[in-house]
Structure formats: C-alpha cells, structure tokens
C-alpha cells in the first residue's frame, strides 16, 4: 500500500506491464488526451474501492468507464440513435456519454454509485487505447488527483498527489486537451452535464440543436460540486490587471507573471490551465488574479474550471 509507485514508460513493455497490473486489480494512472486518469478494473469491486480510498473521494460520486471502442461500450450500456450519432462524431475523443446500464453489464455497483446509468468514454490518446485493448477489461478512471485538488495533466502532477498510494503511472507526457471530457446525456432531450473538451457548438452541429443544461432537480454529475479543482491560492477571476500582492495569470498579450496563452488561443489555454494552477501551488502563491477568458467554445470549459477553482472552501 505504501510501497513506491512505479513510473512506467509508454513503450510496449510499459503498456503491457500496466495492463497486467490492471488485470490483477491494481491501480494504474494513465494519460488520456484530457487529463491523467486513475484506472482500475471496473468489474472488480475491490479494485474500484481502492480508487475511492486512494483519492479520498466520496463513494457517492460515480466514475467514468473507459473502453477501447464503441463496440466495447455497447456491452455495458443501452445504445440509442443519439448515442450512435454522438459516438460516431466524437469517439475516440474527449466526450463521455451517460446511458442506461445494459442487462448483464458486469460493472461493479461501486462504479455507478448505485445509479442505473453509466458514464462511458473512448479516449483518443493512442497509448490509452493500447492500454485499454491490452487490459481487456473496462477501466473505471476518475482524474488521478486527490479528491478536490487540481486534475493532473502530467505524470509528475500524478506523483505529486498520489505517490505511494497507487501501483504505477504510465507516463505519456503532457495531455494535449488539458480539460476533462464533456459529459453528455444523449437524451432525448440531450443534456450537457459537464462542459469539456468537446464544445456545445460541436454537439449542436451533430444533434441539430444545442444540448440543454442539466436538470437541477437531479444529481446529474455529482462531481460538479462548487469547490473542485482547487489550488491553494485564492483566485480572483475576470481581472483586467493584478492588485498589489496578487500573482497575475494572463490570457492574451500584455504583462503577466504566468500565462494561459500569450496569443489568446483557447485550445492552448485549456491545455495549460491545470499546469498553471499546479505552478501557483508550487510557487507558494496565496493570492492570484486571472485575466478574463472569452466564454465561448472551449472557453466555457475553462471558465467552469476557473469558477470551481475560485469557489470558497
Ligand atoms: O476527461 C475525463 O473525463 C477524465 C479522464 C480521466 O477520462 N475523467 C474525469 O473523471 O474527469 P472524474 O471522476 O474526475 O469526473 C467524472 C464525472 C463526475 O462529475 C461524476 O459525477 C460524473 O462524471 N459521472 C460519472 N458517472 C455518472 C453518471 N452515471 N451520471 C452522471 N454523471 C456521472
Ligand atoms: Mg476529477
């Protein structure tokens, strides 16, 4: 339990080792194109319980199951025309679909926290897909950070939070998208449960209309609690300039201590967001001001994460 966490290279040997650990019921962090996930065999209740223990995550917060392709997903969930259209457009990629569990789904009830639906996704990162194919089991994986902390976009971030608490990290470099997957209930009507790497505009192009916001009466994505993605620093958002004593996290041209994207590029800002928040922690910053980020496309996922990072706790 408190033994060293192995750092595995994303070579065929490293991937094979990680796949064996997963099949043996051990915890392995691996890169997806969005963030690093903390994986366990989703059919093995003890392995899934170990995820909650390692993260300190409340067990009423369900997990996303990762599979290598849509055919694998269909073994666990009830498919629909909308699911087919969305999977066709966005898989592999940063899109999670929430669908009713299939009869004989085989997934541990700890994964779904007792819900009758399953969140499932096919990541695009080639190393992740190779790992999932080789493991041959559906892999439950929340972001590989202690609960309530910033999501990891490098293997070093994972080790900073979970070293000694998990069997291995499969290092595949920095995650290119940098914010978590979009979570969508395909409906009808389709509902956007979490903004993420696929934008609402992209979804609207496929479905013919914009997805609705989540129903407020139900617990849709319980991870969407106010204080999430929290750096130690207090954050002031939409700040045109820093006040004395504040570290300035910029977006676009102009003076800044750190920048999400000097050219004002939203994809670059998404890819660097969590690393810059980790940097604030590493620098010991207590107060930071963040430049405004346009609230469109990927900017909505970025602003969602920034609001949670700034929420009182
Ligand atoms: O990009 C991502 O999605 C990353 C990578 C590792 O795949 N994973 C990730 O997992 O962000 P996590 O656990 O940090 O966030 C999963 C979210 C939580 O907000 C959870 O409540 C929601 O998915 N969720 C899981 N199952 C659900 C379900 N059946 N219905 C609604 N929301 C669900
Ligand atoms: Mg998370």
């Amino acid at each position: 339990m408190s033994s060293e966490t192995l750092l595995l290279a994303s070579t065929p040997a490293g991937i094979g080792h990680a796949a064996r650990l997963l099949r043996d019921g051990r915890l392995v962090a691996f890169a997806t194109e969005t963030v690093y996930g903390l994986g366990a065999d989703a059919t093995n209740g003890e392995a899934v319980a170990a995820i909650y223990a390692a993260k300190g995550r409340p067990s009423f917060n369900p997990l996303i199951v990762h599979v290598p392709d849509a055919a694998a997903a269909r073994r666990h969930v009830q498919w629909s025309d909308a699911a087919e259209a969305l999977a066709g457009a966005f898989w592999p990629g940063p899109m999670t679909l929430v669908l009713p569990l299939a009869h004989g789904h085989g997934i541990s009830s700890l994964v779904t926290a007792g819900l009758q639906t399953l969140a499932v996704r096919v990541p695009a990162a080639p190393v992740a897909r190779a790992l999932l194919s080789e493991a041959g089991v559906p892999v439950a994986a929340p972001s590989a950070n202690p609960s309530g902390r910033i999501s990891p976009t490098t293997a070093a971030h994972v080790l900073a939070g979970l070293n000694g608490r998990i069997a291995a990290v499969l290092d595949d470099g920095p995650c290119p998208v940098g914010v978590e997957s979009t979570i969508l209930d395909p409906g009808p009507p389709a509902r956007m449960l979490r903004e993420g790497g696929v934008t609402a505009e992209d979804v609207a192009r496929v479905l013919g209309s914009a997805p609705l916001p989540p129903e407020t009466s139900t617990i849709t994505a319980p991870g969407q609690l106010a204080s999430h993605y929290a750096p130690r620093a207090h954050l002031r958002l939409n700040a045109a300039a820093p006040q004395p004593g504040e570290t300035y996290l910029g977006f676009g041209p102009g003076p800044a201590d750190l920048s999400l994207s000097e050219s004002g590029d939203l994809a670059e800002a998404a890819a660097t967001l969590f690393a810059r928040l980790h940097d604030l922690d590493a620098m010991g910053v207590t107060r930071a001001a963040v430049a405004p980020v346009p609230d469109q496309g990927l900017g909505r996922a970025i602003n969602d994460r920034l609001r949670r990072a700034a929420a009182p706790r």
Side-chain angles (χ1 to χ4, degrees):
M1 184 66 201
S2 60
S3 60
E4 278 284 292
T5 296
L6 283 173
L7 185 61
L8 299 172
S10 54
T11 57
I15 294 167
H17 193 156
R20 277 195 304 281
L21 288 169
L22 285 172
R23 281 197 303 271
D24 286 348
R26 309 291 301 283
L27 301 185
V28 177
F30 63 100
T32 75
E33 70 279 16
T34 58
V35 301
Y36 276 72
L38 177 56
D41 176 354
T43 66
N44 178 337
E46 276 179 52
V48 176
I51 292 181
Y52 288 98
K55 281 186 60 105
R57 178 180 177 113
S59 58
F60 56 79
N61 191 1
L63 306 175
I64 296 173
V65 165
H66 299 66
V67 290
D69 51 41
R74 294 176 68 154
R75 289 186 206 122
H76 307 294
V77 291
Q78 296 175 35
W79 210 238
S80 65
D81 290 346
E84 181 70 23
L86 291 160
F90 302 118
W91 281 359
M95 163 66 75
T96 295
L97 298 178
V98 173
L99 292 161
L101 279 164
H103 184 71
H105 54 77
I107 302 293
S108 162
S109 61
L110 274 178
V111 170
T112 55
L115 297 176
Q116 292 308 306
T117 55
L118 182 69
V120 63
R121 102 173 179 95
V122 177
V127 169
R129 296 189 78 194
L131 174 67
L132 294 170
S133 301
E134 204 162 326
V137 292
V139 173
S143 51
N145 50 285
S147 189
R149 307 302 306 180
I150 306 158
S151 293
T153 54
T154 65
H157 294 160
V158 175
L159 289 174
L162 297 174
N163 195 10
R165 313 186 67 159
I166 63 178
V169 184
L170 183 57
D171 186 356
D172 191 28
C175 301
V177 174
V179 291
E180 295 87 346
S181 62
T182 298
I183 304 182
L184 202 78
D185 171 356
R191 291 187 183 274
M192 182 77 110
L193 304 185
R194 177 175 74 182
E195 309 267 2
V198 172
T199 66
E201 291 89 335
D202 295 332
V203 173
R205 267 191 292 279
V206 170
L207 294 180
S209 60
L212 303 178
E215 279 178 291
T216 48
S217 57
T218 55
I219 308 167
T220 43
Q224 297 301 77
L225 302 173
S227 172
H228 217 67
Y229 312 100
R232 291 188 185 84
H234 173 266
L235 299 186
R236 187 168 64 84
L237 304 185
N238 295 311
Q243 289 169 358
E246 284 181 336
T247 297
Y248 194 54
L249 180 53
F251 176 80
D257 300 299
L258 297 170
S259 182
L260 292 171
S261 166
E262 287 177 11
S263 63
D265 178 64
L266 287 171
E268 184 187 15
T272 54
L273 173 67
F274 290 139
R276 293 296 86 83
L277 297 180
H278 280 283
D279 289 344
L280 293 177
D281 276 356
M283 290 159 64
V285 169
T286 53
R287 290 171 53 220
V290 187
V293 174
D295 205 37
Q296 63 193 41
L298 271 179
R300 276 206 296 273
I302 296 169
N303 283 320
D304 170 76
R305 305 308 186 269
L306 284 172
R307 277 192 299 275
R308 290 172 209 289
R313 54 184 181 272

